[in-house]
Amino acid sequence: EPEVTQTPSHQVTQMGQEVILRCVPISNHLYFYWYRQILGQKVEFLVSFYNNEISEKSEIFDDQFSVERPDGSNFTLKIRSTKLEDSAMYFCASRAAWGNQPQHFGDGTRLSIL
Amino acid sequence: QKEVEQNSGPLSVPEGAIASLNCTYSDRGSQSFFWYRQYSGKSPELIMFIYSNGDKEDGRFTAQLNKASQYVSLLIRDSQPSDSATYLCAAPGYSSASKIIFGSGTRLSIRP
């Protein structure tokens, strides 16, 4: 069964450094998402992306965050200057274009900011 | 703003029994709902989605949707220790591209 893949599985970064999280969505999906989950808290929406542009973003997704689809397969989340509170699991998700299809999640990247 | 509410648990159920997980939602316009299972440290895994009032069955899982009362439930029959996880109720937004709004999850523990 096709799946969403994310790399790396764990990223450790010094505060203030830039980090790029990578995702390969399911190949025929057209909608892409990033979510995060701080330890012990609920899954929170960050941003949705369709047709090469941001469709919706949350208050969390400030100027420090950006997303990009640099080629036909990858979808990336960049955090420009990381803060301690950015430490979380980051999940990429994708969904098909037709009907009311659910989103499928990757295994996540655990981001630890030191 | 859509809200999805769940009892955080933990809900403890003996092995072989039926586990019943409940969820309420605030937006009467919500049309569909998803149940995701999340093991500790892992990503949400879709187990059921339901669009219509009534029941939808898939193996040991039954999702129930009552739009008039604005609640969704998930029944797990013949509970197994491997069902021990956090179950997330979720509702999508209105547009095709929009986010999923998750509840905080109910932690289920199946005791042998």
Side-chain angles (χ1 to χ4, degrees):
Chain A
E1 186 176 323
E3 55 184 33
V4 177
T5 57
Q6 290 186 243
T7 54
S9 56
H10 190 190
Q11 175 80 45
V12 182
T13 302
Q14 291 288 332
M15 185 173 61
Q17 296 295 305
E18 175 182 287
V19 66
I20 297 176
L21 309 183
R22 301 181 192 282
C23 169
V24 178
I26 295 172
S27 63
N28 62 347
H29 285 186
L30 297 180
Y31 297 99
F32 314 119
Y33 308 84
W34 284 101
Y35 294 82
R36 80 171 185 190
Q37 187 176 31
I38 294 170
L39 187 64
Q41 298 186 23
K42 67 164 68 175
V43 178
E44 300 174 290
F45 168 76
L46 293 178
V47 65
S48 60
F49 191 87
Y50 171 71
N51 200 26
N52 283 318
E53 60 183 27
I54 290 174
S55 302
E56 186 178 359
K57 59 184 181 179
S58 71
E59 291 176 356
I60 303 167
F61 195 88
D62 62 21
D63 292 345
Q64 294 301 311
F65 291 86
S66 62
V67 289
E68 193 178 29
R69 188 154 164 81
D71 52 44
S73 59
N74 290 283
F75 179 51
T76 61
L77 174 70
K78 181 193 290 186
I79 309 175
R80 269 181 265 283
S81 178
T82 50
K83 303 187 283 284
L84 293 176
E85 54 265 36
D86 293 328
S87 295
M89 282 288 285
Y90 287 80
F91 296 112
C92 175
S94 69
R95 69 179 287 271
W98 61 89
N100 199 355
Q101 295 294 311
Q103 295 175 21
H104 296 266
F105 284 73
D107 287 341
T109 293
R110 180 173 299 282
L111 178 63
S112 300
I113 308 300
L114 305 179
Chain B
Q1 172 76 359
K2 283 178 185 255
E3 300 260 341
V4 177
E5 300 288 337
Q6 294 181 258
N7 188 324
S8 62
L11 175 66
S12 180
V13 172
E15 185 175 354
I18 296 175
S20 177
L21 304 158
N22 299 309
C23 168
T24 59
Y25 58 94
S26 61
D27 187 346
R28 193 168 283 278
S30 293
Q31 296 296 313
S32 57
F33 296 88
F34 308 121
W35 282 100
Y36 286 84
R37 177 176 62 199
Q38 188 176 31
Y39 293 113
S40 181
K42 302 296 185 182
S43 64
E45 174 193 5
L46 179 72
I47 52 173
M48 290 284 285
F49 55 96
I50 185 165
Y51 307 126
S52 306
N53 261 337
D55 295 1
K56 179 183 177 183
E57 188 174 318
D58 184 1
R60 295 187 296 112
F61 299 98
T62 299
Q64 299 173 319
L65 173 57
N66 184 322
K67 292 186 179 181
S69 301
Q70 294 179 241
Y71 82 80
V72 194
S73 61
L74 179 70
L75 302 178
I76 306 174
R77 288 182 299 283
D78 187 23
S79 298
Q80 304 295 309
S82 59
D83 295 327
S84 297
T86 296
Y87 288 80
L88 309 176
C89 176
Y94 291 113
S95 71
S96 297
S98 63
K99 60 192 175 190
I100 285 179
I101 297 166
F102 284 92
S104 56
T106 298
R107 196 153 45 94
L108 175 66
S109 175
I110 307 300
R111 56 183 191 272

